[in-house]
Amino acid sequence: MNPTAGKSGFRPAGMLLAALMTIIFFLADKSNANAQNEGKQLFEKNCAVCHKIGGGKLVGPELLGVTERREKAWLLKFIRNSKELIDAGDPIAVKVYEENNKVPMLTFTNLSDGEINSIIDYIEKWEPEKEVVFNVDVNKREGFTRTEILRGERFFYGLIPFEKGGTTACVTCHNTVTNDTLNWNPSAMDLAASFMDKDGMNIYKSMAEPTSEVMRQAHAEYKLTEQEVFYIASFLSEFSHAGMKEHKIFPKKLMLFILFALLMTLALIDLIFTKKIKYRFIHVIVILVGLGVHFNLAVVEAQALSRTPEYAPDQPIKFSHKVHAGDNKTDCRYCHSIADYSKSAGIPSNNVCLNCHNVVLSGRHSGKFEINKIHRAAKSGKPIEWVRIHNLPDHVFFSHAQHANAGKIECEKCHGPVAEMDIMKQFSDLSMGWCINCHRDTKINFEGNKYYSTYEKLHEDLKSGKIDSVTVEHIGGLDCMKCHY
């Protein structure tokens, strides 16, 4: 027997075994990575609002090392329905409940055992985020070359493809021109402002690992290289100086005015000089119709002077009244807390926003981007510059306290179906006629309202049946000096 023959036959088998083991380890590692990623996504979606890992107590307890303190089977039951364990007298569940100010944890009966175990595994294997080393200058905000900016612009507008895929151009979601509809995605200007802010977005980290579920889904097809992100960063730097382009509205009324002015002029020229059209009644009809259109336009525009119904200015943060007042049932007075005591309803301060958004860090429509603006404003000490929507002329006095508190008028009476508005807009035209009609028609809740107790004569008339109700007009609501002085 030739000893070398045995060795040469064993070598290929060994290589095959090694290759097989490598594939198995690779697949196992990939499977673990996918499971850990799933656990992370579930944690961020369901748990991160109340818990931190390695960051201390939030609303609920710190979770670092929780798998060493509790059995996994117990954790699964507690996460699924903590109240059930507490009601059953489980000593550990009761202790956790009492240690956390008796704030009950939400139930997660919507999650499967596998999903809850993914969360538990993620917590168990969690490690502090390692600092990512980039090969481009991630701190560069200014001083990009013209070539870099142009290349970034072409990537942003989808004129050249990304190396690793992603067919939708950035501009498809991140508009570079103002518009009058709500786009939950940050505009190019929003991105540029955040990129240029030292406390703002780290575009390299954000593109490498999306910070919210909304962004993760929106960017699922993109795997940008560092160099591509660098080029886009250079475009955003340039865009922060150029700003958004204003969208143009077709001037329909102006064009109508010019069209009929032209027709009337032609009719007059033909009637007096050229006389091409035989029948003069045609000239008369054109002139009369033209005058009617011009008069109508003049009346409509005159009536609209100083009135701005539907006014909905761009706000610094995409705040949805539908989400807050509608879906989440937040009381109007929680944010506009001075409406009962002041002339103005007030605009909430950063602190009011942070009462909730210190915990709620990600929005359902805009992810973390819009909420991060609140935190950046708080960190900088600068207030958010909301734009007032409902404005009255200086010669008009209006008191929210008088209407909302004394008169018990609901907010929707003047502001419309706020709970259905993603974009807050002026609902009523706020004209004097609108106010007067409301004062004539609105019946006052006279009985049991101490504010109106001094109107003894009206109380007597109500009791005697002389009148069946009292309107604002009866108590001087149409006096000029009530609103103008």
Side-chain angles (χ1 to χ4, degrees), residues 288-439:
L288 288 177
V289 171
L291 288 173
V293 170
H294 277 198
F295 180 75
N296 178 266
L297 287 173
V299 169
V300 169
E301 290 302 310
Q303 288 178 338
L305 281 175
S306 300
R307 298 180 191 178
T308 54
E310 303 291 317
Y311 176 55
D314 284 341
Q315 299 290 357
I317 294 178
K318 290 168 185 167
F319 176 90
S320 168
H321 278 78
K322 180 178 181 297
V323 170
H324 291 76
D327 300 344
N328 296 337
K329 309 295 182 191
T330 305
D331 192 291
C332 302
R333 287 172 173 80
Y334 182 79
C335 300
H336 303 286
S337 57
I338 62 172
D340 284 336
Y341 314 101
S342 170
K343 182 172 175 288
S344 167
I347 293 176
S349 67
N350 288 9
N351 288 340
V352 174
C353 303
L354 289 173
N355 284 344
C356 295
H357 289 293
N358 268 328
V359 176
V360 182
L361 302 176
S362 183
R364 74 184 67 163
H365 296 302
S366 57
K368 293 185 176 180
F369 194 89
E370 298 299 324
I371 293 174
N372 281 345
K373 291 179 181 176
I374 305 169
H375 291 275
R376 279 161 47 202
K379 192 171 183 179
S380 68
K382 295 179 181 176
I384 295 165
E385 297 182 4
W386 299 101
V387 182
R388 183 168 181 159
I389 298 172
H390 299 85
N391 297 288
L392 289 172
D394 291 343
H395 61 274
V396 177
F397 174 83
F398 176 88
S399 169
H400 272 84
Q402 179 69 30
H403 290 77
N405 193 352
K408 309 297 181 191
I409 300 294
E410 295 295 331
C411 306
E412 291 83 356
K413 178 83 174 179
C414 302
H415 296 291
V418 173
E420 300 172 9
M421 295 181 189
D422 274 322
I423 301 177
M424 185 65 190
K425 62 183 179 182
Q426 181 178 325
F427 177 76
S428 307
D429 69 1
L430 306 184
S431 65
M432 190 168 77
W434 174 77
C435 294
I436 287 176
N437 286 338
C438 188
H439 283 193

Side-chain angles (χ1 to χ4, degrees), residues 98-235:
E98 290 178 346
E99 285 177 347
N100 289 279
N101 303 318
K102 298 186 177 181
V103 177
M105 194 173 99
L106 295 175
T107 58
F108 292 96
T109 51
N110 57 317
L111 298 180
S112 67
D113 285 357
E115 288 173 325
I116 295 177
N117 280 324
S118 293
I119 295 173
I120 296 171
D121 289 342
Y122 167 70
I123 296 170
E124 184 178 30
K125 296 171 183 174
W126 178 87
E127 292 179 354
E129 189 177 342
K130 295 176 182 175
E131 187 171 351
V132 181
V133 178
F134 294 99
N135 297 314
V136 295
D137 185 359
V138 298
N139 296 315
K140 190 170 184 176
R141 297 286 188 276
E142 299 278 6
F144 294 97
T145 66
R146 192 63 193 159
T147 303
E148 291 168 344
I149 293 168
L150 285 176
R151 194 160 182 79
E153 183 181 32
R154 287 169 185 170
F155 275 128
F156 198 87
Y157 283 97
L159 300 177
I160 51 178
F162 294 114
E163 183 182 327
K164 297 181 181 177
T167 55
T168 308
C170 308
V171 72
T172 305
C173 298
H174 306 294
N175 54 298
T176 55
V177 180
T178 60
N179 58 45
D180 54 3
T181 56
L182 178 61
N183 176 11
W184 284 111
N185 300 301
S187 68
M189 192 62 207
D190 280 333
L191 293 175
S194 181
F195 169 67
M196 297 300 285
D197 189 336
K198 63 181 176 59
D199 295 319
M201 168 184 65
N202 183 327
I203 190 171
Y204 299 93
K205 278 188 176 180
S206 296
M207 292 304 298
E209 188 172 354
T211 55
S212 68
E213 184 60 27
V214 174
M215 187 178 177
R216 189 173 292 112
Q217 290 180 6
H219 285 207
E221 64 173 309
Y222 297 99
K223 298 293 179 187
L224 272 60
T225 64
E226 292 176 6
Q227 193 61 53
E228 288 169 340
V229 178
F230 178 83
Y231 288 136
I232 291 177
S234 68
F235 168 69

